[in-house]
Amino acid sequence: MKTKFLATLFAAALTSGIALAQANQPAVVEDFKPSVLNQPGQEYPQVNSQGYARFRIEAPQADSVRVSLGLGGRGGTLLTKSADGFFTGTTAGPMDEGFHYYHLTVDGGKFNDPGTLNYYGSTRWESGIEIPAQDQDFYALKNVPHGHVQQVLFPSKSTNTSRRAYVYTPPGYEKNTKTKYPVLYLQHGWGEDETAWSNQGRANLIMDNMIAEGKTKPFIIVMTYGMTNDIKPGAPGGLKSFKIEPFQTVLVDELIPYIDANFRTLANPSNRAMAGLSMGGFETHAITLNKPDVFGYYGLMSGGVYTPEEIKDKSKVKLIFLSSGSKENPDRVKKAAADLKAAGFNAVSYVSEGTAHEFQTWRRSLRELAPLLFRN
């Protein structure tokens, strides 16, 4: 009886909390505009100035259409069917700023929204929507000198194939033929691939803008597939069953030598960094500790922390950068950086205000990390 009473009380409190949250939502402003990630000529999905998202899907034979995007814990956004065969609906509240993956569930089947572009995430190509951010200027496409993002295929004996990487070279790389550059090896998250940092993260535009404003040194960025999709959802052990050694071999023994041989790099640890978001942070953490003579700069973005005890030779580490969204676990990031500083490391923490485990957190993290790299 006591257990049943507590469960009933909890359910009542939860229901009243949701009702209160709904009552506290501001009135929806009808200034919706097509998302900047829509397919050419498509009007939906749309976003408004408050961060609400609105969807309109043509499915005259369907009985139910739900959008996975929505406020946490509510199962997404259920759309309403009208007589013309279109399903429409608006999220129950404003979404976090920045990029979001989503998909449609139509009569129980999973589909992408035909109105918007697709991005590789969650181990599949998913629909994407952009919620305008107050600080979006730092990753906007501007009239500044632009670098290039090129695909390279590098030989991998360990996997018996050619593997793909994308390489960002800064503005002026092709003209300044005697200049050598530092390199950041930048890893994506679980379920994503080597396209994520350019497509979803806007890494190249962030760098172009910061270089144009004199806020960071020019450097090369290398993005490759982290072999993360070998861990299937629900697999025994989860991410703990992921083995770093195969990817470590690809990165350290195959990709880095290829980049140093084919691009004008400063090929030493003082001019080489590794960073990653989420699962890419896990990879960064493991490889930098396993290979302390390869990288001088470390960056974990929503990807765990370092402790002073883990690092055997303090003199080899130029910088440790730790970040998260304010809706994640910011206190852990701040405390870890403070502990590292107390132990004599150059450690910096950054918390993205108002964001969670999502690309706006990581775009802002790259903006904060870039000026700190290759200064020593």
Side-chain angles (χ1 to χ4, degrees):
M1 285 296 292
K2 186 176 180 180
T3 302
K4 183 177 180 181
F5 171 75
L6 290 174
T8 303
L9 185 63
F10 175 77
L14 182 62
T15 301
S16 62
I18 292 174
L20 181 61
Q22 289 174 328
N24 289 337
Q25 292 294 351
V28 178
V29 176
E30 291 297 328
D31 59 354
F32 285 88
K33 297 179 181 178
S35 166
V36 296
L37 304 186
N38 283 5
Q39 298 276 4
Q42 295 298 309
E43 290 295 312
Y44 289 87
Q46 297 185 345
V47 295
N48 76 350
S49 57
Q50 299 163 295
Y52 285 80
R54 178 169 289 170
F55 305 91
R56 188 169 188 259
I57 305 297
E58 184 177 13
Q61 302 304 314
D63 294 318
S64 172
V65 178
R66 185 181 292 272
V67 178
S68 63
L69 193 66
L71 297 187
R74 301 190 190 178
T77 301
L78 183 63
L79 307 188
T80 301
K81 187 176 185 179
S82 58
D84 60 4
F86 283 88
F87 286 78
T88 59
T90 304
T91 55
M95 307 301 300
D96 288 352
E97 296 178 340
F99 174 87
H100 297 276
Y101 301 105
Y102 74 97
H103 59 264
L104 309 176
T105 300
V106 181
D107 290 349
K110 184 183 291 187
F111 302 92
N112 286 351
D113 186 341
T116 190
L117 299 174
N118 298 327
Y119 298 83
Y120 196 79
S122 305
T123 71
R124 64 185 296 272
W125 290 95
E126 289 239 287
S127 301
I129 192 171
E130 185 77 26
I131 306 299
Q134 299 299 316
D135 60 348
Q136 63 188 2
D137 185 69
F138 78 90
Y139 53 86
L141 177 60
K142 300 180 183 179
N143 185 19
V144 298
H146 293 290
H148 293 147
V149 178
Q150 60 181 289
Q151 173 184 287
V152 299
L153 299 173
F154 63 96
S156 170
K157 291 183 179 179
S158 67
T159 60
N160 195 32
T161 186
S162 289
R163 302 186 67 85
R164 184 173 72 167
Y166 283 95
V167 181
Y168 166 83
T169 50
Y173 178 87
E174 290 77 14
K175 294 181 180 179
N176 304 326
T177 57
K178 294 184 179 180
T179 302
K180 293 185 177 182
Y181 295 85
V183 184
L184 166 63
Y185 289 83
L186 186 59
Q187 288 305 120
H188 59 83
W190 179 85
E192 296 168 343
D193 68 6
E194 60 272 27
T195 64
W197 266 109
S198 297
N199 291 347
Q200 293 93 294
R202 313 274 184 93
N204 55 315
L205 298 182
I206 293 171
M207 287 297 299
D208 291 344
N209 294 337
M210 295 189 73
I211 291 170
E213 295 168 11
K215 293 182 177 179
T216 185
K217 292 179 63 173
F219 54 84
I220 294 169
I221 300 178
V222 179
M223 300 155 281
T224 196
Y225 179 56
M227 303 171 71
T228 56
N229 291 355
D230 296 339
I231 302 297
K232 305 300 181 184
L239 294 181
K240 293 181 180 179
S241 65
F242 178 81
K243 303 297 183 184
I244 195 63
E245 289 78 12
F247 177 58
Q248 180 175 285
T249 297
V250 169
L251 178 70
V252 175
D253 299 335
E254 297 170 344
L255 178 56
I256 290 178
Y258 177 88
I259 295 297
D260 287 341
N262 290 278
F263 292 85
R264 298 193 311 277
T265 67
L266 294 167
N268 57 65
S270 295
N271 288 287
R272 191 181 294 128
M274 185 175 182
L277 68 88
S278 192
M279 181 69 178
F282 168 84
E283 294 172 332
T284 297
H285 180 270
I287 293 175
T288 52
L289 293 180
N290 291 344
K291 297 288 183 178
D293 295 321
V294 177
F295 301 98
Y297 297 80
Y298 310 169
L300 309 182
M301 307 174 187
S302 307
V305 298
Y306 292 93
T307 64
E309 296 76 23
E310 292 177 308
I311 302 170
K312 306 306 179 186
D313 189 345
K314 182 188 308 182
S315 67
K316 295 182 179 180
V317 184
K318 303 292 184 181
L319 170 74
I320 296 176
F321 177 86
L322 306 173
S323 72
S324 76
S326 65
K327 297 181 180 181
E328 296 187 273
N329 195 346
D331 291 341
R332 183 181 182 221
V333 164
K334 293 176 184 178
K335 182 181 184 304
D339 291 344
L340 289 163
K341 286 180 182 178
F345 291 91
N346 178 23
V348 175
S349 64
Y350 169 71
V351 175
S352 170
E353 189 59 38
T355 59
H357 201 74
E358 54 203 12
F359 255 104
Q360 196 67 6
T361 295
W362 307 321
R363 289 169 174 171
R364 291 171 176 169
S365 296
L366 179 59
R367 176 193 63 191
E368 299 300 314
L369 171 63
L372 303 176
L373 294 177
F374 314 120
R375 288 168 51 176
N376 297 327

